[in-house]
Amino acid sequence: MRAQNSATASERIAVTAPPEAPAVGGTLQAVLGVTAFSLTFPATAWGLEGFGPWSLVAVRSVLAALIAGACLLAARVRLPGRRHWAPLAVVAAGVVAGFPLLTTLALETSSTAHAAVVVGLLPLTTALFSALRTGHRPSRTFWTAALAGAAAVVAFTVQQSGGALTTADLFLFAALLVCAAGYTEGGRLARAMPGWQVIGWALVLCLPLSVPAAALALSYEPVRLTAHSVTGVLWVAAGSQFLGLVVWYRGMAAIGIPRASQLQLAQPLLTLVWSVLLGEHLTAAAPLTAAAVLVCIAVTQRARG
C-alpha cells in the first residue's frame, strides 16, 4: 500500500513538474534577452561615434548574419520548410532591418535615455500584435497591468522630455510597430524550430541586401575606428542582433508572447542605468517609475491569459 502511494506521488510529481521547469527556464531566458537588449542603445550611441547610421545598421546585420550562418553550418541545420519563409521575412523586416535602422536614425538626435523610455511601449505593442495575430485573448487583469505599465512609461517619457516630443519620436514609434510584428512572428516560429534558428535564418535571409547595402553605405559615410565605435558595433551585432534574440525567442516560446513581452517593461530602466554609467543625467523620477513597472510586471506574470 505504501509502495502504491509512493508510486502515485511520483506520478503526480512527474505530471506537475514539467510545466514548471519550462516556465522558469523560459522566464530566465526572456530576462537574459531583455538584459542584452537594454545595452543596445548605449552600444549604438558608441557605434555612431565612428560610423554613419546607414553603415552601422548594414555592418551590424552583416556581422550578425556571418555569426548566425557559421552556427547554422556547424550544426548542419537544414533549410526551413516553405511555410516558414513568409514569417521569417516578417522577422527579418522587423527585427533585423526595420528596428535597428529606425532606432539608429532616432539616436542621431535623441539621447539613449529618451529613446529607451519611448521604446518601453514595445511590450504593450507586442501584446496587441500577438492578440490580433494569434487570436489569443489575455485576461482583463493582464491588460489592466499592461496598460498601467505603459502609462508609467509614457509619463516618464513626457517628464524626461519636458512635455515636448522630439522629431526622433516618429522613428521610434515606427520602430515599435515593425519590431512588435517581428517579435510576434518570431515567437510563433520558435514553437516550430529552435529560437536561435529563427533569428539565424532571418539574418541569413537579409544577407543579399545587407552586403551591398554595407558596401554602398561605407563608400559614402566616413568611418572613424575607435575603441567605442568598434565595441558598439560588435555588441549590437553579436549581443543584441543574435545572442539576445536567441534567448528571447526561446523564452517567448516557453512562457508565451504576451507574458514575455511584459518583461520588456524593465528594459528602458536597465538602459537608463547603463546611460548613467556612460555619463548621461538621470532624473529623480526613475526610481518611482522603476517601482511602478516592477509591480506591473509581477501582476502580468501572475495573470492568466
Side-chain angles (χ1 to χ4, degrees):
M1 186 69 176
R2 183 177 300 175
Q4 184 177 358
N5 290 339
S6 299
T8 302
S10 299
E11 289 174 359
R12 290 176 180 172
I13 293 174
V15 170
T16 58
E20 294 297 329
V24 173
T27 300
L28 177 60
Q29 290 182 90
V31 168
L32 289 175
V34 169
T35 303
F37 299 153
S38 70
L39 287 163
T40 300
F41 287 168
T44 300
W46 274 13
L48 286 172
E49 293 180 11
F51 292 84
W54 295 91
S55 299
L56 177 59
V57 173
V59 169
R60 71 180 275 184
S61 179
V62 171
L63 291 176
L66 292 176
I67 296 172
C71 293
L72 291 169
L73 284 174
R76 297 181 179 180
V77 179
R78 294 183 178 180
L79 287 172
R82 184 176 299 179
R83 69 185 185 280
H84 295 318
W85 283 108
L88 281 172
V90 175
V91 176
V95 178
V96 177
F99 185 79
L101 176 60
L102 292 167
T103 53
T104 299
L105 292 173
L107 285 171
E108 283 198 293
T109 57
S110 175
S111 68
T112 59
H114 181 81
V117 177
V118 173
V119 175
L121 294 175
L122 183 57
L124 181 58
T125 311
T126 303
L128 287 171
F129 266 81
S130 175
L132 293 173
R133 181 68 177 86
T134 65
H136 178 71
R137 296 294 183 268
S139 66
R140 183 176 300 177
T141 301
F142 178 95
W143 284 117
T144 300
L147 289 171
V153 170
V154 171
F156 187 78
T157 304
V158 173
Q159 190 275 335
Q160 283 284 101
S161 61
L165 297 178
T166 66
T167 55
D169 290 326
L170 293 176
F171 288 125
L172 295 173
F173 291 142
L176 289 176
L177 297 177
V178 298
C179 190
Y183 278 173
T184 300
E185 290 301 320
R188 294 179 70 249
L189 272 177
R191 295 177 181 270
M193 66 176 71
W196 73 273
Q197 292 182 23
V198 173
I199 186 58
W201 286 118
L203 286 164
V204 171
L205 186 63
C206 286
L207 265 179
L209 296 176
S210 59
V211 170
L216 182 62
L218 290 171
S219 67
Y220 280 94
E221 295 179 336
V223 175
R224 185 168 60 90
L225 297 180
T226 64
H228 274 187
S229 63
V230 173
T231 301
V233 170
L234 290 178
W235 175 257
V236 294
S240 304
Q241 193 85 68
F242 183 61
L243 297 177
L245 285 167
V246 167
V247 292
W248 174 243
Y249 281 137
R250 286 175 61 90
M252 281 199 295
I255 65 177
I257 297 172
R259 288 191 180 184
S261 69
Q262 298 313 301
L263 289 172
Q264 273 198 309
L265 284 170
Q267 181 178 327
L269 302 173
L270 287 173
T271 300
L272 289 175
V273 173
W274 310 137
S275 299
V276 169
L277 295 178
L278 294 175
E280 288 192 15
H281 178 67
L282 186 65
T283 66
L288 295 177
T289 307
V293 168
L294 289 175
V295 170
C296 293
I297 291 174
V299 173
T300 57
Q301 294 305 296
R302 294 180 64 87
R304 292 185 176 182

